[in-house]
Amino acid sequence: MQFNHFLSSYYPDKAYGGDRLYADMIEQAIASERLGYRGVTIPEHHLINILLVPDPLQMAVKVASVTKRIEVVTSVSVLPLHDMRIFAGQAIQADILCEGRLILGVGRGAFAYEMARMDVPIEISREKFDESLDLLIALFTREEVSWDGKYYKFEPITVMPRPVTKPMPQLMVAALVPEGIYASVKRGFHIQTTPLDATFEKMKAQVGAFHRGKAELGKAGEHLRLALSRVCLVAKDEADAERKLSLAYDYYGRFNNVFTGPGIVDNGAIRLLPQKQTIEELSRNLIICTASEMVDRVAQYAELGIDDFIMNVNIGHTQSEALEAMQRFAEDVMPHIPKSATTRAA
C-alpha cells in the first residue's frame, strides 16, 4: 500500500483568504513529495468553504510545476457540471502540462446544495454522469465524434489537441456504493472510494466489491488500482488527539450539512449543524491517534489490499500542524507498515 495526501481545502474562517488557502495546498504538495508520498489528490467543489477548488485541473498543473515525481490526482472532477466538449480538451492539456503524472478522477457530484445551484440537480447527476463519461471516453479515443443522447446532441467534432498519454489520460472513477464500485471495475476503471465518517465494516464492503470485480476480470484487471480516502492524522499525544478529534467532529458537522443534510449555507460558509453520531462513534471510524496506535490501525487497511491510501489531515487546524502531522506519519508510521502488504500493492 502506498500513501497519498489529500489537498483538502477547508477554512471555517473565510477571512483566512483564498490566497493563503491555496499557498498552503502548494506547500503541502511539495512536502508530500519530499516525505515520500506517492501522490496528492485535489477535490472539486464550488460556492462553499469546504473542499473548495473550483478548478482542480488548474491546481494539478500548478502542483506538477513545483514537483518532479508525485502523481497528481483529481478527487474528483465532477463531470455533470462540465461540457464534455470543453472538458476533454482541458483534461488533455492538463495531462500534457503535468507530463503524464495526471490521474483524472471523475465522479457524479455529492452535494445537493452545490449541484442545484449549478443547475444540475443531484437527482439527475447519475444519468448525466453516465452519459458524460461515455462521451468523454469517445472524445479522448476517437476523432470525428458525433453524439445523439439525452444531454448532448452535436455533429462530428474532433477534440484538439489529441491525447499524448495513449489511448487517453488515466481515468479513475469515484463510487461509494459497493455495487457501483463493482460495476465500474468490470468496465476496467481504477476506483476511488471512501467510507467518509462511516464504520470500518462499511469500508470493508467497498474494498470487497473492488476485489470481486477485479478477480472476475482476471489478467485484464491486474493493473487496476483502488484508492481509498479517510481522515487520518497522527497526533503528538493523547491530548492532541482529543483536540483534533473535536475539530474533525465540527468538520463533519459542516460536511454532512451539505452532503446528506439540508444544505444551509450563509454567504459561502457552511453552517455547523448537530451530528447524528456521537464524537465517540466518530473516533472509532476516523483514524486520529498517536503514531504507535496509527501503525496498527493503518496496517489493517493495508492487509485488505488497498493500493493507495488517501489521507485527509485538513480538518480546521493550522498549516504548521498539518505539515507536522504529515511528517510524523512519514517518519513514524510509513516505515512500519507490513512489507507483505506494501509488496502486494506495488
Side-chain angles (χ1 to χ4, degrees), residues 108-144:
R108 61 176 285 195
F111 296 160
Y113 169 88
E114 171 187 30
M115 302 294 285
R117 283 154 182 79
M118 304 287 282
D119 296 322
V120 184
I122 197 75
E123 293 78 12
I124 71 166
S125 63
R126 166 53 62 193
E127 65 176 11
K128 187 172 184 185
F129 169 77
D130 289 341
E131 182 176 335
S132 296
L133 179 59
D134 289 342
L135 173 55
L136 181 64
I137 293 170
L139 292 169
F140 280 157
T141 58
R142 303 193 334 244
E143 299 185 11
E144 290 297 279

mmCIF file of all heavy atoms in Angstrom, residues 108-144:
data_model
loop_
_atom_site.group_PDB
_atom_site.id
_atom_site.type_symbol
_atom_site.label_atom_id
_atom_site.label_comp_id
_atom_site.label_asym_id
_atom_site.label_seq_id
_atom_site.Cartn_x
_atom_site.Cartn_y
_atom_site.Cartn_z
ATOM 1 N N ARG A 108 -19.807 11.903 -10.012
ATOM 2 C CA ARG A 108 -21.127 12.467 -10.322
ATOM 3 C C ARG A 108 -21.459 13.710 -9.509
ATOM 4 O O ARG A 108 -22.398 14.432 -9.830
ATOM 5 C CB ARG A 108 -22.212 11.420 -10.068
ATOM 6 C CG ARG A 108 -22.282 10.957 -8.633
ATOM 7 C CD ARG A 108 -23.421 9.981 -8.372
ATOM 8 N NE ARG A 108 -24.711 10.654 -8.329
ATOM 9 C CZ ARG A 108 -25.826 10.102 -7.838
ATOM 10 N NH1 ARG A 108 -25.783 8.867 -7.366
ATOM 11 N NH2 ARG A 108 -26.951 10.767 -7.814
ATOM 12 N N GLY A 109 -20.693 13.982 -8.441
ATOM 13 C CA GLY A 109 -21.032 15.070 -7.535
ATOM 14 C C GLY A 109 -21.697 14.523 -6.290
ATOM 15 O O GLY A 109 -22.301 13.450 -6.309
ATOM 16 N N ALA A 110 -21.587 15.281 -5.196
ATOM 17 C CA ALA A 110 -22.033 14.758 -3.913
ATOM 18 C C ALA A 110 -22.925 15.698 -3.124
ATOM 19 O O ALA A 110 -23.714 15.236 -2.303
ATOM 20 C CB ALA A 110 -20.816 14.388 -3.057
ATOM 21 N N PHE A 111 -22.794 17.008 -3.344
ATOM 22 C CA PHE A 111 -23.504 17.969 -2.504
ATOM 23 C C PHE A 111 -24.712 18.513 -3.249
ATOM 24 O O PHE A 111 -24.576 19.237 -4.245
ATOM 25 C CB PHE A 111 -22.582 19.129 -2.116
ATOM 26 C CG PHE A 111 -21.409 18.736 -1.268
ATOM 27 C CD1 PHE A 111 -20.299 19.572 -1.189
ATOM 28 C CD2 PHE A 111 -21.389 17.557 -0.539
ATOM 29 C CE1 PHE A 111 -19.197 19.237 -0.402
ATOM 30 C CE2 PHE A 111 -20.304 17.202 0.245
ATOM 31 C CZ PHE A 111 -19.203 18.046 0.309
ATOM 32 N N ALA A 112 -25.910 18.210 -2.744
ATOM 33 C CA ALA A 112 -27.130 18.665 -3.409
ATOM 34 C C ALA A 112 -27.193 20.184 -3.466
ATOM 35 O O ALA A 112 -27.660 20.758 -4.461
ATOM 36 C CB ALA A 112 -28.357 18.096 -2.689
ATOM 37 N N TYR A 113 -26.732 20.866 -2.412
ATOM 38 C CA TYR A 113 -26.727 22.331 -2.392
ATOM 39 C C TYR A 113 -25.962 22.882 -3.585
ATOM 40 O O TYR A 113 -26.445 23.748 -4.330
ATOM 41 C CB TYR A 113 -26.096 22.815 -1.087
ATOM 42 C CG TYR A 113 -25.794 24.306 -1.082
ATOM 43 C CD1 TYR A 113 -26.768 25.213 -0.673
ATOM 44 C CD2 TYR A 113 -24.549 24.802 -1.487
ATOM 45 C CE1 TYR A 113 -26.506 26.584 -0.682
ATOM 46 C CE2 TYR A 113 -24.290 26.160 -1.499
ATOM 47 C CZ TYR A 113 -25.266 27.050 -1.100
ATOM 48 O OH TYR A 113 -25.008 28.388 -1.124
ATOM 49 N N GLU A 114 -24.772 22.370 -3.773
ATOM 50 C CA GLU A 114 -23.887 22.838 -4.844
ATOM 51 C C GLU A 114 -24.463 22.513 -6.220
ATOM 52 O O GLU A 114 -24.512 23.366 -7.110
ATOM 53 C CB GLU A 114 -22.525 22.177 -4.643
ATOM 54 C CG GLU A 114 -21.521 22.345 -5.733
ATOM 55 C CD GLU A 114 -20.283 21.493 -5.488
ATOM 56 O OE1 GLU A 114 -20.398 20.412 -4.868
ATOM 57 O OE2 GLU A 114 -19.207 21.923 -5.901
ATOM 58 N N MET A 115 -24.917 21.256 -6.388
ATOM 59 C CA MET A 115 -25.391 20.816 -7.695
ATOM 60 C C MET A 115 -26.631 21.604 -8.121
ATOM 61 O O MET A 115 -26.751 22.011 -9.281
ATOM 62 C CB MET A 115 -25.694 19.319 -7.655
ATOM 63 C CG MET A 115 -24.522 18.433 -7.254
ATOM 64 S SD MET A 115 -23.160 18.426 -8.443
ATOM 65 C CE MET A 115 -23.865 17.401 -9.744
ATOM 66 N N ALA A 116 -27.552 21.837 -7.185
ATOM 67 C CA ALA A 116 -28.780 22.549 -7.530
ATOM 68 C C ALA A 116 -28.484 23.970 -7.993
ATOM 69 O O ALA A 116 -29.107 24.473 -8.938
ATOM 70 C CB ALA A 116 -29.723 22.567 -6.332
ATOM 71 N N ARG A 117 -27.529 24.615 -7.345
ATOM 72 C CA ARG A 117 -27.212 25.995 -7.690
ATOM 73 C C ARG A 117 -26.365 26.096 -8.947
ATOM 74 O O ARG A 117 -26.168 27.193 -9.473
ATOM 75 C CB ARG A 117 -26.557 26.682 -6.491
ATOM 76 C CG ARG A 117 -27.602 27.049 -5.443
ATOM 77 C CD ARG A 117 -27.055 27.135 -4.050
ATOM 78 N NE ARG A 117 -28.133 27.449 -3.104
ATOM 79 C CZ ARG A 117 -29.003 26.544 -2.641
ATOM 80 N NH1 ARG A 117 -28.925 25.279 -3.032
ATOM 81 N NH2 ARG A 117 -29.948 26.902 -1.785
ATOM 82 N N MET A 118 -25.881 24.959 -9.429
ATOM 83 C CA MET A 118 -25.183 24.923 -10.715
ATOM 84 C C MET A 118 -26.095 24.348 -11.805
ATOM 85 O O MET A 118 -25.638 23.950 -12.874
ATOM 86 C CB MET A 118 -23.909 24.071 -10.592
ATOM 87 C CG MET A 118 -22.961 24.522 -9.492
ATOM 88 S SD MET A 118 -22.082 26.038 -9.859
ATOM 89 C CE MET A 118 -20.813 25.413 -10.966
ATOM 90 N N ASP A 119 -27.408 24.278 -11.496
ATOM 91 C CA ASP A 119 -28.439 23.840 -12.451
ATOM 92 C C ASP A 119 -28.286 22.384 -12.878
ATOM 93 O O ASP A 119 -28.690 22.002 -13.984
ATOM 94 C CB ASP A 119 -28.467 24.743 -13.690
ATOM 95 C CG ASP A 119 -28.860 26.170 -13.350
ATOM 96 O OD1 ASP A 119 -29.733 26.343 -12.476
ATOM 97 O OD2 ASP A 119 -28.297 27.100 -13.954
ATOM 98 N N VAL A 120 -27.717 21.562 -12.003
ATOM 99 C CA VAL A 120 -27.649 20.119 -12.233
ATOM 100 C C VAL A 120 -28.149 19.441 -10.953
ATOM 101 O O VAL A 120 -27.356 19.078 -10.083
ATOM 102 C CB VAL A 120 -26.219 19.641 -12.563
ATOM 103 C CG1 VAL A 120 -26.237 18.149 -12.901
ATOM 104 C CG2 VAL A 120 -25.631 20.430 -13.719
ATOM 105 N N PRO A 121 -29.459 19.295 -10.798
ATOM 106 C CA PRO A 121 -29.985 18.693 -9.581
ATOM 107 C C PRO A 121 -29.363 17.327 -9.303
ATOM 108 O O PRO A 121 -29.092 16.553 -10.228
ATOM 109 C CB PRO A 121 -31.484 18.571 -9.850
ATOM 110 C CG PRO A 121 -31.761 19.595 -10.915
ATOM 111 C CD PRO A 121 -30.516 19.650 -11.755
ATOM 112 N N ILE A 122 -29.127 17.043 -8.040
ATOM 113 C CA ILE A 122 -28.487 15.786 -7.664
ATOM 114 C C ILE A 122 -29.277 14.589 -8.183
ATOM 115 O O ILE A 122 -28.718 13.530 -8.456
ATOM 116 C CB ILE A 122 -28.309 15.717 -6.127
ATOM 117 C CG1 ILE A 122 -27.283 14.646 -5.736
ATOM 118 C CG2 ILE A 122 -29.642 15.501 -5.426
ATOM 119 C CD1 ILE A 122 -25.859 15.024 -5.982
ATOM 120 N N GLU A 123 -30.600 14.763 -8.375
ATOM 121 C CA GLU A 123 -31.448 13.657 -8.817
ATOM 122 C C GLU A 123 -31.117 13.201 -10.236
ATOM 123 O O GLU A 123 -31.403 12.051 -10.591
ATOM 124 C CB GLU A 123 -32.924 14.058 -8.729
ATOM 125 C CG GLU A 123 -33.444 14.276 -7.318
ATOM 126 C CD GLU A 123 -33.046 15.624 -6.722
ATOM 127 O OE1 GLU A 123 -32.553 16.509 -7.487
ATOM 128 O OE2 GLU A 123 -33.218 15.800 -5.505
ATOM 129 N N ILE A 124 -30.556 14.071 -11.051
ATOM 130 C CA ILE A 124 -30.211 13.670 -12.419
ATOM 131 C C ILE A 124 -28.718 13.441 -12.597
ATOM 132 O O ILE A 124 -28.275 13.102 -13.691
ATOM 133 C CB ILE A 124 -30.695 14.712 -13.451
ATOM 134 C CG1 ILE A 124 -29.849 15.998 -13.362
ATOM 135 C CG2 ILE A 124 -32.177 15.007 -13.283
ATOM 136 C CD1 ILE A 124 -30.022 16.928 -14.541
ATOM 137 N N SER A 125 -27.951 13.640 -11.530
ATOM 138 C CA SER A 125 -26.497 13.610 -11.688
ATOM 139 C C SER A 125 -25.978 12.233 -12.088
ATOM 140 O O SER A 125 -24.980 12.142 -12.801
ATOM 141 C CB SER A 125 -25.808 14.077 -10.404
ATOM 142 O OG SER A 125 -26.084 13.207 -9.325
ATOM 143 N N ARG A 126 -26.629 11.164 -11.639
ATOM 144 C CA ARG A 126 -26.159 9.822 -12.011
ATOM 145 C C ARG A 126 -26.275 9.594 -13.507
ATOM 146 O O ARG A 126 -25.310 9.190 -14.160
ATOM 147 C CB ARG A 126 -26.929 8.761 -11.230
ATOM 148 C CG ARG A 126 -26.767 7.313 -11.758
ATOM 149 C CD ARG A 126 -25.324 6.868 -11.904
ATOM 150 N NE ARG A 126 -24.629 6.871 -10.635
ATOM 151 C CZ ARG A 126 -23.318 6.765 -10.511
ATOM 152 N NH1 ARG A 126 -22.544 6.705 -11.595
ATOM 153 N NH2 ARG A 126 -22.751 6.762 -9.326
ATOM 154 N N GLU A 127 -27.455 9.841 -14.082
ATOM 155 C CA GLU A 127 -27.603 9.558 -15.506
ATOM 156 C C GLU A 127 -26.807 10.536 -16.356
ATOM 157 O O GLU A 127 -26.277 10.151 -17.413
ATOM 158 C CB GLU A 127 -29.068 9.550 -15.924
ATOM 159 C CG GLU A 127 -29.785 10.869 -15.818
ATOM 160 C CD GLU A 127 -31.211 10.786 -16.359
ATOM 161 O OE1 GLU A 127 -31.686 9.662 -16.608
ATOM 162 O OE2 GLU A 127 -31.843 11.853 -16.530
ATOM 163 N N LYS A 128 -26.680 11.780 -15.897
ATOM 164 C CA LYS A 128 -25.853 12.714 -16.673
ATOM 165 C C LYS A 128 -24.384 12.333 -16.581
ATOM 166 O O LYS A 128 -23.639 12.452 -17.561
ATOM 167 C CB LYS A 128 -26.067 14.147 -16.185
ATOM 168 C CG LYS A 128 -25.351 15.152 -17.101
ATOM 169 C CD LYS A 128 -25.672 16.600 -16.815
ATOM 170 C CE LYS A 128 -24.994 17.500 -17.848
ATOM 171 N NZ LYS A 128 -25.184 18.937 -17.553
ATOM 172 N N PHE A 129 -23.941 11.855 -15.409
ATOM 173 C CA PHE A 129 -22.561 11.389 -15.287
ATOM 174 C C PHE A 129 -22.307 10.222 -16.235
ATOM 175 O O PHE A 129 -21.271 10.183 -16.918
ATOM 176 C CB PHE A 129 -22.256 10.958 -13.854
ATOM 177 C CG PHE A 129 -20.942 10.234 -13.714
ATOM 178 C CD1 PHE A 129 -19.742 10.938 -13.718
ATOM 179 C CD2 PHE A 129 -20.897 8.853 -13.608
ATOM 180 C CE1 PHE A 129 -18.530 10.279 -13.614
ATOM 181 C CE2 PHE A 129 -19.691 8.187 -13.506
ATOM 182 C CZ PHE A 129 -18.501 8.899 -13.500
ATOM 183 N N ASP A 130 -23.214 9.259 -16.278
ATOM 184 C CA ASP A 130 -23.008 8.086 -17.126
ATOM 185 C C ASP A 130 -22.849 8.480 -18.585
ATOM 186 O O ASP A 130 -21.937 7.993 -19.288
ATOM 187 C CB ASP A 130 -24.182 7.109 -16.970
ATOM 188 C CG ASP A 130 -24.203 6.415 -15.618
ATOM 189 O OD1 ASP A 130 -23.148 6.394 -14.941
ATOM 190 O OD2 ASP A 130 -25.269 5.897 -15.229
ATOM 191 N N GLU A 131 -23.705 9.370 -19.067
ATOM 192 C CA GLU A 131 -23.585 9.807 -20.455
ATOM 193 C C GLU A 131 -22.315 10.625 -20.654
ATOM 194 O O GLU A 131 -21.612 10.469 -21.663
ATOM 195 C CB GLU A 131 -24.804 10.623 -20.877
ATOM 196 C CG GLU A 131 -24.733 11.055 -22.338
ATOM 197 C CD GLU A 131 -25.967 11.787 -22.825
ATOM 198 O OE1 GLU A 131 -27.060 11.590 -22.245
ATOM 199 O OE2 GLU A 131 -25.845 12.566 -23.800
ATOM 200 N N SER A 132 -22.007 11.481 -19.686
ATOM 201 C CA SER A 132 -20.810 12.320 -19.800
ATOM 202 C C SER A 132 -19.552 11.477 -19.853
ATOM 203 O O SER A 132 -18.627 11.760 -20.632
ATOM 204 C CB SER A 132 -20.743 13.288 -18.616
ATOM 205 O OG SER A 132 -21.828 14.187 -18.614
ATOM 206 N N LEU A 133 -19.479 10.435 -19.026
ATOM 207 C CA LEU A 133 -18.296 9.571 -19.017
ATOM 208 C C LEU A 133 -18.140 8.847 -20.352
ATOM 209 O O LEU A 133 -17.032 8.780 -20.908
ATOM 210 C CB LEU A 133 -18.384 8.567 -17.869
ATOM 211 C CG LEU A 133 -17.225 7.581 -17.738
ATOM 212 C CD1 LEU A 133 -15.903 8.309 -17.538
ATOM 213 C CD2 LEU A 133 -17.481 6.614 -16.577
ATOM 214 N N ASP A 134 -19.232 8.310 -20.881
ATOM 215 C CA ASP A 134 -19.156 7.637 -22.184
ATOM 216 C C ASP A 134 -18.696 8.605 -23.265
ATOM 217 O O ASP A 134 -17.860 8.256 -24.114
ATOM 218 C CB ASP A 134 -20.530 7.058 -22.550
ATOM 219 C CG ASP A 134 -20.912 5.858 -21.696
ATOM 220 O OD1 ASP A 134 -20.016 5.257 -21.066
ATOM 221 O OD2 ASP A 134 -22.115 5.539 -21.653
ATOM 222 N N LEU A 135 -19.229 9.810 -23.223
ATOM 223 C CA LEU A 135 -18.843 10.802 -24.220
ATOM 224 C C LEU A 135 -17.390 11.212 -24.051
ATOM 225 O O LEU A 135 -16.654 11.346 -25.043
ATOM 226 C CB LEU A 135 -19.757 12.029 -24.121
ATOM 227 C CG LEU A 135 -19.393 13.233 -24.981
ATOM 228 C CD1 LEU A 135 -19.279 12.858 -26.460
ATOM 229 C CD2 LEU A 135 -20.410 14.353 -24.784
ATOM 230 N N LEU A 136 -16.945 11.401 -22.818
ATOM 231 C CA LEU A 136 -15.563 11.799 -22.577
ATOM 232 C C LEU A 136 -14.596 10.765 -23.136
ATOM 233 O O LEU A 136 -13.603 11.115 -23.800
ATOM 234 C CB LEU A 136 -15.329 11.979 -21.071
ATOM 235 C CG LEU A 136 -13.931 12.411 -20.649
ATOM 236 C CD1 LEU A 136 -13.603 13.798 -21.179
ATOM 237 C CD2 LEU A 136 -13.804 12.382 -19.121
ATOM 238 N N ILE A 137 -14.877 9.506 -22.892
ATOM 239 C CA ILE A 137 -14.010 8.444 -23.420
ATOM 240 C C ILE A 137 -14.005 8.461 -24.945
ATOM 241 O O ILE A 137 -12.952 8.310 -25.584
ATOM 242 C CB ILE A 137 -14.466 7.076 -22.880
ATOM 243 C CG1 ILE A 137 -14.220 7.009 -21.369
ATOM 244 C CG2 ILE A 137 -13.727 5.943 -23.581
ATOM 245 C CD1 ILE A 137 -14.835 5.806 -20.699
ATOM 246 N N ALA A 138 -15.170 8.665 -25.544
ATOM 247 C CA ALA A 138 -15.238 8.730 -27.005
ATOM 248 C C ALA A 138 -14.404 9.903 -27.533
ATOM 249 O O ALA A 138 -13.656 9.762 -28.516
ATOM 250 C CB ALA A 138 -16.693 8.865 -27.461
ATOM 251 N N LEU A 139 -14.500 11.048 -26.894
ATOM 252 C CA LEU A 139 -13.740 12.226 -27.342
ATOM 253 C C LEU A 139 -12.248 12.035 -27.161
ATOM 254 O O LEU A 139 -11.445 12.539 -27.961
ATOM 255 C CB LEU A 139 -14.211 13.464 -26.580
ATOM 256 C CG LEU A 139 -15.638 13.931 -26.887
ATOM 257 C CD1 LEU A 139 -16.089 14.985 -25.888
ATOM 258 C CD2 LEU A 139 -15.747 14.464 -28.319
ATOM 259 N N PHE A 140 -11.857 11.322 -26.122
ATOM 260 C CA PHE A 140 -10.441 11.012 -25.908
ATOM 261 C C PHE A 140 -9.899 10.046 -26.960
ATOM 262 O O PHE A 140 -8.763 10.192 -27.426
ATOM 263 C CB PHE A 140 -10.241 10.370 -24.534
ATOM 264 C CG PHE A 140 -10.206 11.324 -23.367
ATOM 265 C CD1 PHE A 140 -10.504 10.873 -22.088
ATOM 266 C CD2 PHE A 140 -9.845 12.649 -23.526
ATOM 267 C CE1 PHE A 140 -10.456 11.728 -20.989
ATOM 268 C CE2 PHE A 140 -9.788 13.515 -22.443
ATOM 269 C CZ PHE A 140 -10.095 13.048 -21.162
ATOM 270 N N THR A 141 -10.674 9.038 -27.295
ATOM 271 C CA THR A 141 -10.141 7.894 -28.046
ATOM 272 C C THR A 141 -10.476 7.891 -29.526
ATOM 273 O O THR A 141 -9.896 7.110 -30.278
ATOM 274 C CB THR A 141 -10.651 6.578 -27.430
ATOM 275 O OG1 THR A 141 -12.093 6.567 -27.441
ATOM 276 C CG2 THR A 141 -10.165 6.426 -25.990
ATOM 277 N N ARG A 142 -11.423 8.756 -29.946
ATOM 278 C CA ARG A 142 -11.837 8.759 -31.345
ATOM 279 C C ARG A 142 -11.806 10.169 -31.907
ATOM 280 O O ARG A 142 -11.995 11.140 -31.190
ATOM 281 C CB ARG A 142 -13.253 8.194 -31.511
ATOM 282 C CG ARG A 142 -13.433 6.802 -30.961
ATOM 283 C CD ARG A 142 -14.739 6.135 -31.409
ATOM 284 N NE ARG A 142 -15.827 7.003 -31.744
ATOM 285 C CZ ARG A 142 -16.994 7.056 -31.070
ATOM 286 N NH1 ARG A 142 -17.159 6.326 -29.986
ATOM 287 N NH2 ARG A 142 -17.970 7.859 -31.487
ATOM 288 N N GLU A 143 -11.585 10.255 -33.210
ATOM 289 C CA GLU A 143 -11.738 11.517 -33.917
ATOM 290 C C GLU A 143 -13.103 11.551 -34.598
ATOM 291 O O GLU A 143 -13.741 10.520 -34.806
ATOM 292 C CB GLU A 143 -10.607 11.694 -34.933
ATOM 293 C CG GLU A 143 -9.232 11.734 -34.277
ATOM 294 C CD GLU A 143 -8.116 12.034 -35.252
ATOM 295 O OE1 GLU A 143 -8.421 12.420 -36.396
ATOM 296 O OE2 GLU A 143 -6.939 11.894 -34.864
ATOM 297 N N GLU A 144 -13.559 12.768 -34.906
ATOM 298 C CA GLU A 144 -14.849 12.950 -35.570
ATOM 299 C C GLU A 144 -15.974 12.228 -34.816
ATOM 300 O O GLU A 144 -16.605 11.301 -35.312
ATOM 301 C CB GLU A 144 -14.780 12.477 -37.029
ATOM 302 C CG GLU A 144 -13.934 13.366 -37.923
ATOM 303 C CD GLU A 144 -14.511 14.782 -38.031
ATOM 304 O OE1 GLU A 144 -15.441 15.012 -38.816
ATOM 305 O OE2 GLU A 144 -14.017 15.669 -37.296
#
